[in-house]
């Protein structure tokens, strides 16, 4: 039997995954602009940030309506709750991309550390692919895949630690690197935060699939 | 923390104080095709005013729910729409249908009810075959060939989503049908007259959830071709299937709006209490 | 409320029921704790009402019904030949779908069971009637019209008087067969409030077609389908993480 609810849920699902893809692309572009010192690209990201916020608001409004109109239970309720929780995580990822773009625009240093920027570029690619991967697990309802995201996030943590060591060493050796290196530290922090957010979404995917609330983020709560 | 401003009130009270007493959504005739509208409808049982200030517009090809407690006037209102109250009550005010006030003496009520059909709470098929249940109203008031009748039976049963289940036993007594099937037969019977507007008075309250879901499914399919007005005690049903909802309370329409607004952001405090099940 | 350490008031094992040759229940094992509300849900023909009525031997009144299996009610074998059904129905009270007051006063309706049991003392009756009506949360509405016909009350008030009538005989278990399906939402709400107040003191089993009612008021939910018990668990589990696909489909309104 056809249920209006199922149609609306399918629509909600696709808006949510579309928003996930948009966020993933935005993160990738933000990191690319930083590595390329492309202020114009960074400005575009700031201009388009409202799209992510608007999508979040529209999806939230839709979930409230569906809860009020259909009073969903069991898997239906879990799916809606997952979207409602995960959509605000996506929005916070968008905020991190915006922070990266802001750093790109105001960066003052003229001297750079090439290997750190390379490392940051790789971190950016990795974190963007984690975001699209976690969205894929959402679509496939793959709780095992979602749990595996936590392993990738620990690799990201190691990269962030390496950026930190290299930046600090750079600053010790050459005072002219301090401006750039300070930004490297901050960007690595933003990227690491996004990685943590993907594990938050992964936790909700596990909830949607199994009804169990788990903790995938074993408390690396320091900034980088 | 102590609050220096003693006038501060909890948000819920603030909302209550600022809520309007009534809110009636007014359609823009440019954007919404209005199938039926009532203007200052009043219904009296003897001297007792059971409904007043009945002003509603019904959009074509939409489902409108009328909700409210027993005695709120919603069924009284519904029954007035196709003059079912003529014998028991005095109905004042206008009911406009295709530019004509149908609440006047010169209207042929039987003819009007072919346009505005009614389905009742309890499935009430006649003690006749499934086929005759549908053709009865037609054959008693006109001449039809067997082919024409066959076609009407098939079309209306298909519209009511019952054809596949009964097509091989059209001669069987309608009383042998399950509750959900019987209610869909009654809907098919109303559709046989090719009405424009379908009024339903708690059509699924006597049914179990599965039969009730079948009836809801049928109504959702029918709204492509019919304007549907339904009285229901089941708030979730109103939320699930209707485009507009009118909330009745003590003989007045308190709030009328898009269903999704009524269920997420009602404007009137009374509506808010009723739909959230807060009846204290 | 659903403390697993709670004493069991009713334990049924391998309950089968036939209407003639047609088997309507295929071996139901179900236990009920001595306090709290258990909801029986399922589509029409699932056997939930048939099972409920078997508990206080309502099927005795029908020809051609065969019941087998064990019904252990606080040590009483419900279907033992020596069990007196009048006494049994005093201990296991039943409230029906349609409010069914007798055509006499509210007072006499509530006092009926006690008079049947031979209570004649007016003071005892007065006290029992008031207590039962208070428990059923209808006292304030009827206290001034106790000696007027109960038929003049609203549907919701009549149904609460029916609950009071059952409570007056101090039952150990209350069976409710769709007690609100004939009522409007406000009256249903009042009945639900009444049941919620009673659940600390009574064991109740309610058959309901309203999934939201089951989720609002019951501590445990049992899902019946085609004469089988598919799943029984705490209500919050049934509505969030049911074990069985059939349960999940039914409670989320996915029918066939």
């Amino acid at each position: 039997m056809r249920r209006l609810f199922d149609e609306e849920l399918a629509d909600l699902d696709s808006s949510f995954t579309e928003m996930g893809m948009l966020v993933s692309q935005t993160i990738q572009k933000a990191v690319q602009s930083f590595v390329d010192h492309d202020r114009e690209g960074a400005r575009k990201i700031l201009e388009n940030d409202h799209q992510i916020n608007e999508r979040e608001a529209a999806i939230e409004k839709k979930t409230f309506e569906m809860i009020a109109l259909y009073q969903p239970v069991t898997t239906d309720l879990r799916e809606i709750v997952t979207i409602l929780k995960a959509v605000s995580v996506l929005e916070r990822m968008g905020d991190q991309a915006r922070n990266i773009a802001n750093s790109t625009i105001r960066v003052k240093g003229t001297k750079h550390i090439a290997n750190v920027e390379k490392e940051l570029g790789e971190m950016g690619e990795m974190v963007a692919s984690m975001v699209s991967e976690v969205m894929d697990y959402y679509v496939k309802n793959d709780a095992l895949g979602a749990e595996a995201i936590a392993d990738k996030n620990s690799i990201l943590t190691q990269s962030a630690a390496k950026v930190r060591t290299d930046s600090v060493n750079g600053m010790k050796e050459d005072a002219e690197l301090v401006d750039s290196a300070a930004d490297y530290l901050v960007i690595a922090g933003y990227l690491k935060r996004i990685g943590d957010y993907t594990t938050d979404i992964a936790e909700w995917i596990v909830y949607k699939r199994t009804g169990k609330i788990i903790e995938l983020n074993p408390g690396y709560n320091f900034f980088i | 923390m102590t609050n220096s401003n003693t006038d501060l009130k909890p948000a819920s009270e603030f909302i209550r104080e600022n809520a309007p007493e009534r809110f009636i959504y007014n359609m823009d005739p440019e954007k919404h095709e209005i199938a039926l509208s009532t203007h200052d409808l009043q219904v009296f049982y003897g001297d007792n005013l059971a409904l007043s200030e009945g002003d509603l517009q019904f959009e074509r090809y939409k489902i409108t729910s009328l909700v409210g407690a027993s005695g709120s006037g919603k069924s009284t209102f519904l029954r007035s729409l196709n003059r079912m109250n003529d014998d028991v009550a005095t109905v004042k005010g206008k009911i406009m249908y295709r530019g004509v006030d149908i609440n006047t003496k010169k209207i042929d009520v039987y003819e009007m009810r072919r346009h505005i059909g009614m389905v009742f709470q309890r499935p009430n098929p006649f003690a006749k075959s499934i086929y005759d249940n549908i053709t009865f109203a037609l054959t008693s008031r006109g001449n039809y060939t067997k082919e024409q009748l066959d076609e009407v039976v098939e079309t209306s049963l298909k519209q009511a989503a019952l054809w596949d289940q009964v097509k091989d036993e059209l001669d069987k007594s309608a009383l042998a049908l399950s509750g959900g099937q019987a209610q869909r037969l009654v809907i098919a019977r109303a559709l046989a007259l090719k009405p424009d507007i379908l009024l339903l008075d708690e059509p699924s309250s006597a049914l179990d959830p599965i039969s009730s879901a079948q009836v809801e499914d049928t109504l959702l399919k029918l709204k492509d071709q019919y304007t549907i007005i339904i009285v229901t005690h089941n708030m979730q049903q109103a939320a699930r299937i209707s485009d507009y909802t009118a909330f009745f309370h003590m003989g007045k329409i308190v709030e009328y709006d898009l269903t999704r607004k009524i269920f997420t952001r009602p404007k009137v405090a009374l509506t808010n209490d009723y739909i959230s099940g807060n009846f204290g | 409320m659903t403390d697993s350490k709670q004493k069991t008031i009713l334990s049924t094992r391998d309950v089968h029921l036939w209407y003639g040759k047609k088997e309507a229940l295929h071996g139901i094992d179900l236990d009920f704790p001595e306090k709290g509300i258990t909801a029986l849900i399922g589509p029409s023909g699932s056997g939930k009402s048939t099972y409920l009525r078997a508990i206080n031997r309502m099927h005795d009144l029908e020809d051609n019904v065969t019941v087998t299996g064990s019904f252990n009610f606080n040590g009483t074998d419900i279907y033992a030949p020596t069990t007196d059904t009048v006494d049994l129905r005093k201990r296991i009270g039943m409230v029906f779908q349609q409010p069914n007051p007798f055509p006499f006063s509210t007072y006499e309706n509530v006092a009926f069971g006690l008079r049947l049991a031979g209570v004649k003392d007016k003071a005892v009756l007065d006290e029992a009637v008031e207590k039962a009506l208070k428990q059923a949360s209808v006292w304030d509405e009827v206290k001034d019209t106790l000696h007027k016909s109960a038929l003049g009350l609203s549907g919701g008030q009549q149904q609460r008087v029916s609950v009071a009538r059952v409570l007056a005989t101090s039952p150990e278990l209350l069976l409710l067969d769709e007690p609100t399906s004939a009522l409007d939402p406000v009256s249903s709400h009042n009945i639900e409030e009444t049941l919620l107040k009673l659940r600390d003191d009574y064991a109740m089993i309610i058959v309901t077609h309203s999934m939201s009612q089951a989720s609002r008021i019951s501590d445990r939910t049992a899902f019946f389908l085609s004469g089988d018990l598919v799943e029984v668990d705490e209500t919050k589990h049934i509505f969030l993480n049911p074990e069985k696909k059939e349960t999940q489909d039914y409670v989320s309104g996915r029918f066939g």
Side-chain angles (χ1 to χ4, degrees), chain A residues 17-35:
Chain A
T17 45
E18 276 168 25
M19 179 176 166
M21 291 308 143
L22 177 66
V23 168
S24 162
Q25 288 160 10
T26 308
I27 293 165
Q28 202 163 17
K29 282 184 197 155
V31 176
Q32 201 56 51
S33 315
F34 179 79
V35 173

Side-chain angles (χ1 to χ4, degrees), chain A residues 24-210:
Chain A
S24 162
Q25 288 160 10
T26 308
I27 293 165
Q28 202 163 17
K29 282 184 197 155
V31 176
Q32 201 56 51
S33 315
F34 179 79
V35 173
D36 297 348
H37 311 288
D38 172 6
R39 293 184 184 194
E40 203 40 50
R43 275 195 195 94
K44 276 210 185 93
I45 284 163
L46 296 182
E47 277 164 27
N48 292 333
D49 183 52
H50 69 98
Q51 290 182 355
I52 292 175
N53 296 342
E54 279 158 18
R55 278 175 195 251
E56 184 206 12
I59 289 171
E60 281 175 349
K61 180 165 177 263
K62 186 73 198 162
T63 60
F64 296 149
E65 275 178 10
M66 289 179 70
I67 291 169
L69 295 179
Y70 302 105
Q71 301 178 10
V73 295
T74 69
T75 46
D76 298 333
L77 179 64
R78 300 208 303 258
E79 185 160 347
I80 289 191
V81 167
T82 296
I83 291 176
L84 183 59
K85 298 289 286 191
V87 78
S88 58
V89 178
L90 285 180
E91 193 269 337
R92 275 180 270 145
M93 289 178 171
D95 289 347
Q96 301 297 340
R98 194 186 59 203
N99 289 340
I100 295 172
N102 270 322
S103 298
T104 307
I105 290 168
R106 62 153 198 265
V107 72
K108 293 197 191 81
T110 46
K111 245 180 137 180
H112 309 292
I113 309 175
N115 68 320
V116 172
E117 292 192 351
K118 183 165 168 284
E119 183 84 37
L120 283 173
E122 283 165 8
M123 275 182 79
E125 261 172 44
M126 183 172 180
V127 86
S129 82
M130 282 165 70
V131 175
S132 56
E133 234 173 85
V134 85
M135 293 310 296
D136 198 40
Y137 295 137
Y138 172 84
V139 172
K140 293 181 182 143
N141 216 3
D142 181 352
L144 282 179
E147 287 192 57
I149 279 282
D151 296 337
K152 293 213 165 165
N153 196 38
S154 63
I155 298 175
L156 197 71
T157 305
Q158 288 161 18
S159 304
K162 187 164 184 306
V163 168
R164 186 178 186 278
T165 314
D166 293 352
S167 302
V168 171
N169 287 342
M171 287 190 265
K172 280 179 189 159
E173 284 164 21
D174 182 351
E176 281 180 55
L177 285 172
V178 168
D179 270 335
S180 304
D183 271 320
Y184 298 153
L185 291 176
V186 169
I187 304 278
Y190 295 148
L191 290 173
K192 191 182 163 326
R193 196 80 325 126
I194 297 174
D196 293 344
Y197 289 155
T198 60
T199 63
D200 289 348
I201 293 181
E203 288 166 5
W204 286 106
I205 295 170
V206 173
Y207 171 73
K208 171 176 163 241
R209 181 86 179 87
T210 65

